[in-house]
Amino acid sequence: MTDLINSLSIAASGMEAQAQRLRHVSENIANADTPGYHRKTISFRDEIDGQGVETGPVRLDRSELTKIYDPGHPLANESGHYDGSNVNLVVEIADAREAQRSYEANLKLFDQARQMNQSLFEILRR
């Protein structure tokens, strides 16, 4: 029975981690046109003794920002360029889909473990 409860805990930690990942992807997409914005990334690691997933620290992608030519922009330098963001919408959409699918997989695992746990309680009550 504790294995089923552990399964619920592990699946819940996976859903929480993927939800956090989706929040950062959403922020990246929302700021794709923000000058000087660096894309946020997040990593995952197994919790101690393999009892779930936890997120690592949020990091900023330090890859080069795109240079945008617009001499009339208030942030433009003397050559007419300013720093855009380093957000690639194709990458962000792919990350969002992966996070969504991982979340759904953890949700199905959670639901199956919950149903098994409920069935076990009903058997024990008889």
Side-chain angles (χ1 to χ4, degrees):
M1 176 128 80
T2 59
D3 289 338
L4 288 175
I5 293 170
N6 286 343
S7 297
L8 290 169
S9 175
I10 292 169
S13 73
M15 288 188 293
E16 184 178 336
Q18 293 303 334
Q20 187 173 0
R21 180 179 179 197
L22 278 170
R23 278 192 296 276
H24 293 301
V25 168
S26 298
E27 288 175 19
N28 290 341
I29 291 171
N31 287 294
D33 293 329
T34 302
Y37 181 81
H38 287 271
R39 173 180 185 258
K40 292 179 182 177
T41 61
I42 192 165
S43 61
F44 299 100
R45 59 178 175 245
D46 290 335
E47 280 187 15
I48 299 170
D49 66 19
Q51 294 301 311
V53 177
E54 69 177 22
T55 56
V58 175
R59 298 188 191 281
L60 296 179
D61 181 350
R62 290 295 177 187
S63 63
E64 193 170 320
L65 298 173
T66 58
K67 300 290 184 198
I68 299 173
Y69 179 73
D70 184 1
H73 195 278
L75 295 175
N77 59 18
E78 58 278 350
S79 68
H81 291 86
Y82 69 94
D83 289 335
S85 72
N86 62 356
V87 175
N88 181 337
L89 290 177
V90 173
V91 170
E92 298 304 324
I93 290 170
D95 282 352
R97 285 187 179 169
E98 183 182 354
Q100 177 186 3
R101 288 184 179 137
S102 295
Y103 184 93
E104 289 171 356
N106 280 300
L107 182 60
K108 285 185 181 187
L109 174 67
F110 186 89
D111 190 46
Q112 288 295 318
R114 184 190 57 79
Q115 288 177 10
M116 291 171 67
N117 207 12
Q118 185 176 7
S119 296
L120 186 59
F121 281 133
E122 288 174 7
I123 290 171
L124 293 175
R125 278 190 225 163
R126 293 180 189 171

